[in-house]
Amino acid sequence: MACGVLIALGGALAAFAFNATYARGWIDLEVYREGGAAVLRGTPVYDLIVGGRDLRFTYSPFAAMLFTPLALVGTEVAVALWVLISILALEVVVWILVGRNTVKDRGRRATRTLLVVAVTLPLYPVALTLWNGQIGILLLLVTVVDLTHGKEKWHGIGTGIAAGIKLTPLIFIPYLLVRRRFRAALMAGLGFLGTVVLGLLLLPADSRDYWGGAFFDTQRVAAEQGVDVFNQSLRGVLMLVPGSWPVVPLWLALCAVVGAGGLLVAARTARKAGELAGITACAVVGLLVSPVSWPHHWVWCVPLLVLWAQRADSTLEKAGVGLLWFVFLLPGYVTLTTLLVYPSHAGTWLMSLMGSYVLSGLSTLLALAACSGRSDRRQRKARAGGRPEIFNGQDHMARPRRDPAADRRETT
């Protein structure tokens, strides 16, 4: 994996040089640094207004405390370190995903990992995460490792701590309950509660501000009440539909259907195809029902693409993987270029283009539900005919049953 380290170092050095020369980019990282600096100064974290775009600190008090080391170094050093850690985290995630496909030889596994990293780095959610200095890739790694590796009795605690930094991983608690992984759900809840208590003890005033309502104020993260072409959630897409009509009731109704149905699909996917597939489907559910899901939140496209590519046997399925890769590559760059260079050409077509993330997420859940249902029907027919269950190579959801605990232990 020396090449992987070199790639990460190259990215970090390039980021350092660019930021030192042009002083642009990494706006979210600057918000993290200012939040940490506010903690060190003892000033209110949630009164911060950062940069010319009036950005605010939207994370928990616990997160603000974690970001204090970033405030102790210069901007260029912070940028380089953040890019280095983020690329390394991406490589570890891909290494885990590749190992899931029973690639035992370390050399082959490393080669495949580097190839996948090279293919996924240009994807808009990944590139935007690195460019803005977002924490999404690190939270992705924590969740994947926490729920699929290590001693089972500790599963969930890392996910809970991740939710204490950024609330979006909370979606995994109901998922774990549906999966009947009650201990992991309890550990996740305790981990999250621990971050809340720590924040209350060390930053009581900021904790009152945050948990008193700032955490639910979408206007802190989305201007004009969430109307933004880049908001890739169900709510974001509904807000773009022209006309005057009750968006919130419809959004809540859709969240109930997609949330409940999606978690059931995710749980069934985990039983049929393994825990990594299940938590990836759960993450897609969370992205859809969240009030705000920016493109960089969709870094879960990496495990989605890799897992689907591993199971794609037919030409049609492989074409589907390629199409999904283009969905997460082109629309973001086209939208950004149009808004910056040709704003007069922005219109309904642009809204439809960016809505492809939401469409892809919904299509993924529907496809998983259909495959799971087809697999169950085939198994019932096999049992009714008095024959042993046959696992057809074209039935990508069907797999021989094994010990439930083994289902969660992925190859590392």
Side-chain angles (χ1 to χ4, degrees), residues 18 27 35-36 41 43 71 75 102 127 212 214 236 248 254 301 304 323 333 391:
F18 185 91
I27 54 176
R41 292 193 304 263
T43 56
T75 301
T102 63
V248 174
L254 285 173
C301 68
L304 179 60
L323 177 61
Y333 292 115
F391 296 93

Side-chain angles (χ1 to χ4, degrees), residues 139-150:
L139 297 182
L140 165 61
L141 173 61
V142 169
T143 304
V144 166
V145 172
D146 175 56
L147 295 181
T148 62
H149 290 72

Side-chain angles (χ1 to χ4, degrees), residues 146-147 149-157 180-181 183-184 187 403-406 408-409:
D146 175 56
L147 295 181
H149 290 72
K151 293 184 178 180
E152 189 173 352
K153 68 178 182 178
W154 298 114
H155 284 185
I157 193 167
R180 303 183 67 82
R181 294 181 62 183
R183 180 182 177 85
M187 295 300 290
D403 181 67
R408 295 190 287 271
R409 294 194 295 267

